[in-house]
Amino acid sequence: MTNTKTLSQSLIGYELASEAIAAGVAAARERKVALSFVVLDAAGHLVASARMDGAAFITIEVARGKAFASAATGGQPGLSLGQRYNDNPMVWGNVSSLGFGAPLLPAQGALPIFLEGQFIGVMGASGAPSEIDDAVVTCAVEAIGCTVSA
């Protein structure tokens, strides 16, 4: 018999999140950039974060805001959210402060993490041009055997 009163959700755990961050740090070093990384579970809770030596102190908060916006929208990539902001700045300008513990920052540099087709979390990065942030996150997610799309 199926329980219809509760829901079950697969969420990224600390071990896999830490592996993603380690892979992100390696990919950033290859590109000679210093980034900050944040991994949230699919429910938007912080699982792991890191700021590389040399990354500006604010980059950890920017990475979290990017990741939080992606998690809050069910795993929409930051690039898509940035376009949605450009299309409708009034909405995004008003909801950006609604995040608990982090702003909603609709910007490139955050990608969903899918494991076997299930949305389990989000990884955000900040500290380089957004295209590089995105490329590093893609490398990190793929390095842990996950994908950035279902």
Side-chain angles (χ1 to χ4, degrees):
M1 176 175 238
T2 303
N3 181 349
T4 59
K5 295 182 181 184
T6 61
L7 301 174
S8 177
Q9 184 177 23
S10 295
L11 303 173
I12 192 168
Y14 177 76
E15 184 177 342
L16 196 57
S18 295
E19 291 173 14
I21 287 176
V25 168
R29 284 186 178 140
E30 288 175 7
R31 291 165 174 79
K32 299 183 180 2
V33 294
L35 302 179
S36 289
F37 300 95
V38 171
V39 177
L40 306 178
D41 64 24
H45 301 108
L46 178 65
V47 179
S49 63
R51 184 180 61 84
M52 294 175 66
D53 293 342
F57 76 90
I58 195 66
T59 58
I60 196 80
E61 299 304 327
V62 173
R64 187 170 182 196
K66 290 177 182 182
F68 193 71
S70 180
T73 56
Q76 291 296 308
L79 181 63
S80 298
L81 295 176
Q83 183 58 52
R84 287 169 65 180
Y85 175 83
N86 288 335
D87 293 344
N88 198 347
M90 181 186 285
V91 170
W92 280 98
N94 287 317
V95 301
S96 65
S97 63
L98 295 180
F100 58 93
L104 293 166
L105 181 56
Q108 188 174 10
L111 292 166
I113 303 169
F114 289 91
L115 179 62
E116 298 174 358
Q118 289 200 344
F119 173 51
I120 63 168
V122 175
M123 185 171 189
S126 179
S130 294
E131 298 79 18
I132 295 173
D133 293 344
D134 236 27
V136 169
V137 170
T138 299
C139 288
V141 170
E142 291 174 351
I144 60 169
C146 294
T147 61
V148 297
S149 61

